[in-house]
Amino acid sequence: MRRIIGGGLSGLAAAVNFAKEGEKVEIHEKRENVGDQFHANYQVLLDSHGDAPSYLKEWGLKPKFTYKNVKTFLCCTQKREFTVSMKEALPLILRGGDNSLERGIKDEAESEGVKFHFKSKQKPKSGDILATGSYRTDMAAFGAYYENSDFPRDQFLYMHDERFSPRGWYLYIIPMDKDTIKVVNCTSRPHTKNTKKLLFKAIEKRKILSDIIDGAKPTGTVGGVGGAHFPKSAIENGILKTGEAAGFQDPWRGFGMNYAIESGVLAQRALSTGGDYDKMWKAQFKDRMKADIARRGIFWIFGNRAFEFAMRNVKEGDEVDWGRINFSGWKKALLYNSFYSAEMLKKSTMDYW
Ligand SMILES: Cc1cc2nc3c(=O)[nH]c(=O)nc-3n(C[C@H](O)[C@H](O)[C@H](O)COP(=O)(O)OP(=O)(O)OC[C@H]3O[C@@H](n4cnc5c(N)ncnc54)[C@H](O)[C@@H]3O)c2cc1C
């Protein structure tokens, strides 16, 4: 019987794939249900090219869940505000609660015979896979829900403003169901304790935000922390660590879902086939990890002026092709190598990104 500790995305992805290989598997989850670590909120799934189900299928998952593809966003740099569309739609995935991705994978897992033990908090030394989520705070997010009927339901807002989201982080608005919007601010260490205060300051000081919220009081909150610390080995005492329990998280923007799902499946494959897990995740994450670290270096050094610069030629109504905005070829390699090295040096001396 395979034993997985933690029923987040990485634990669930591993469990479904074990079961599909015909192995018996159980998940121990300390909460009452999967997805209970979040209030319902939408999260961006990268690398899915506008097609979240196909991405998940590639990783052995066919869950039913709620998501929406968004192509338009209100882009706010420190100085400008303009609406643009994206060449490729961005899938926003429901996390937490009914119809969320984790509930969908849980249903799939149960139909494949995975056994769940809820309210079962386990010691980290007790499983084949440790998928217990973040163990350190490199970044924090705090958000508030407001009742608002005006914000377009098919857009989101994305703001880089150093005064409120240091250093080089961002604030966003995503419409939830009916007439509610979620306004979230993100910061990195050493600013994480101020994330909430800075969210309300941003709403007060940036007219575009106060106009959108228009005096409404928050009806609820959401938040959490993330930890990124790519280890030399993600195997400890014979247990394979996945997702944020291993330190797999994007230090640039906190987009950890891909790292979680993919590492969960790679851990399952390593255990089922006798493969070398460390070699497998290093090969899978090498390029993404390096790019995420390099971009964090750029945003750490220049703050949100880096975003201002990247968007300098984009105007109201333009279509944004992120591939074109990023540097390409040798310039990109040189830029990324330099900032990657600078950021790694900072992390090794100061222990934060
Ligand atoms: C507010 C917020 C917004 C985010 N937005 C995005 C986004 O837009 N895009 C993106 O890609 N990523 C985003 N992320 C990050 C992403 O959600 C995480 O990286 C991802 O969910 C990590 O998955 P995981 O399986 O490693 O851990 P988790 O999802 O944290 O799951 C860990 C599970 O283990 C359980 N557990 C913990 N300890 C024990 C124990 N001792 N015994 C049993 N069970 C235990 C927990 O209850 C939990 O269910 C966001 C995170 C937050 C907080």
Side-chain angles (χ1 to χ4, degrees):
M1 169 75 87
R2 297 291 185 188
R3 204 155 185 265
I4 299 173
I5 313 301
L9 283 188
S10 66
L12 289 164
V16 169
N17 280 279
F18 272 130
K20 285 186 176 167
E21 288 295 318
E23 295 203 47
K24 285 198 163 40
V25 51
E26 60 180 15
I27 291 192
H28 290 264
E29 165 56 50
K30 71 177 181 183
R31 297 175 204 268
E32 282 184 10
N33 204 340
V34 300
D36 276 3
Q37 75 271 40
F38 295 117
H39 285 119
N41 74 101
Y42 283 100
Q43 299 188 2
V44 172
L45 183 67
L46 296 178
D47 293 344
S48 44
H49 307 295
D51 186 355
S54 293
Y55 166 84
L56 293 167
K57 201 168 151 207
E58 271 175 45
W59 292 95
L61 305 169
K62 284 189 191 167
K64 289 199 174 77
F65 64 103
T66 297
Y67 70 99
K68 50 185 178 186
N69 280 342
V70 180
K71 277 205 94 172
T72 309
F73 73 102
L74 181 53
C75 180
C76 307
T77 69
Q78 287 185 192
K79 295 182 186 155
R80 296 194 299 141
E81 290 144 12
F82 45 99
T83 303
V84 287
S85 61
M86 283 169 290
K87 200 168 172 210
E88 213 168 56
L90 203 59
L92 300 177
I93 309 292
L94 187 63
R95 304 287 312 277
D98 291 344
N99 306 316
S100 64
L101 178 58
E102 37 278 268
R103 293 280 170 90
I105 306 181
K106 178 193 156 204
D107 290 347
E108 190 185 1
E110 278 178 330
S111 71
E112 295 286 344
V114 175
K115 199 164 167 24
F116 282 85
H117 302 272
F118 290 110
K119 291 167 106 177
S120 172
K121 185 172 179 176
Q122 297 290 309
K123 294 220 158 52
K125 288 182 183 160
S126 60
D128 293 297
I129 290 183
L130 188 73
T132 44
S134 148
Y135 68 95
R136 49 180 281 141
T137 301
D138 289 299
M139 59 206 79
F142 179 85
Y145 296 87
Y146 292 89
E147 275 173 15
N148 169 290
S149 53
D150 296 340
F151 192 82
R153 311 319 290 171
D154 57 351
Q155 293 187 12
F156 64 92
L157 176 149
Y158 182 60
M159 174 182 284
H160 276 269
D161 190 327
E162 199 55 39
R163 291 173 297 166
F164 313 118
S165 313
R167 169 110 180 130
W169 279 74
Y170 56 90
L171 181 153
Y172 62 92
I173 295 181
I174 292 184
M176 299 298 296
D177 304 323
K178 298 192 186 113
D179 61 355
T180 303
I181 55 169
K182 181 188 71 164
V183 189
V184 182
N185 191 30
C186 309
T187 63
S188 62
R189 233 159 109 194
H191 305 281
T192 50
K193 287 204 170 76
N194 293 325
T195 317
K196 178 178 176 183
K197 197 169 83 189
L198 290 169
L199 170 73
F200 294 118
K201 192 171 161 196
I203 292 170
E204 189 194 322
K205 300 278 181 201
R206 275 266 335 220
K207 187 168 180 311
I208 187 136
L209 298 179
S210 40
D211 284 353
I212 289 167
I213 286 156
D214 198 17
K217 292 235 171 340
T219 53
T221 59
V222 63
V225 299
H229 182 80
F230 298 102
K232 283 206 170 66
S233 170
I235 306 172
E236 203 174 308
N237 303 319
I239 300 170
L240 277 54
K241 297 200 252 177
T242 58
E244 290 203 38
F248 302 147
Q249 169 58 296
D250 160 13
W252 181 40
R253 285 180 300 189
F255 290 164
M257 285 168 67
N258 304 74
Y259 283 113
I261 293 166
E262 292 168 25
S263 60
V265 178
L266 294 177
Q268 172 273 321
R269 286 182 192 161
L271 288 167
S272 296
T273 63
D276 183 333
Y277 177 51
D278 282 330
K279 267 197 189 148
M280 290 159 92
W281 70 256
K282 281 176 190 172
Q284 177 67 22
F285 296 154
K286 188 174 53 145
D287 294 340
R288 184 188 308 163
M289 220 164 63
K290 194 165 180 181
D292 286 342
I293 293 171
R295 288 187 287 228
R296 177 101 299 271
I298 294 170
F299 276 71
W300 177 261
I301 290 169
F302 297 109
N304 284 325
R305 278 170 299 169
F307 187 65
E308 193 89 58
F309 180 78
M311 302 303 280
R312 68 196 179 286
N313 294 323
V314 182
K315 308 179 299 295
E316 174 76 26
D318 279 358
E319 188 185 72
V320 178
D321 176 356
W322 292 115
R324 212 186 54 203
I325 284 177
N326 286 335
F327 289 86
S328 58
W330 67 268
K331 281 190 204 156
K332 184 172 176 177
L334 186 68
L335 191 81
Y336 276 19
N337 281 334
S338 315
F339 284 100
Y340 171 79
S341 304
E343 188 59 17
M344 289 304 282
L345 182 66
K346 180 179 126 245
K347 170 74 168 55
S348 65
T349 49
M350 303 207 262
D351 196 30
Y352 64 81
W353 300 101

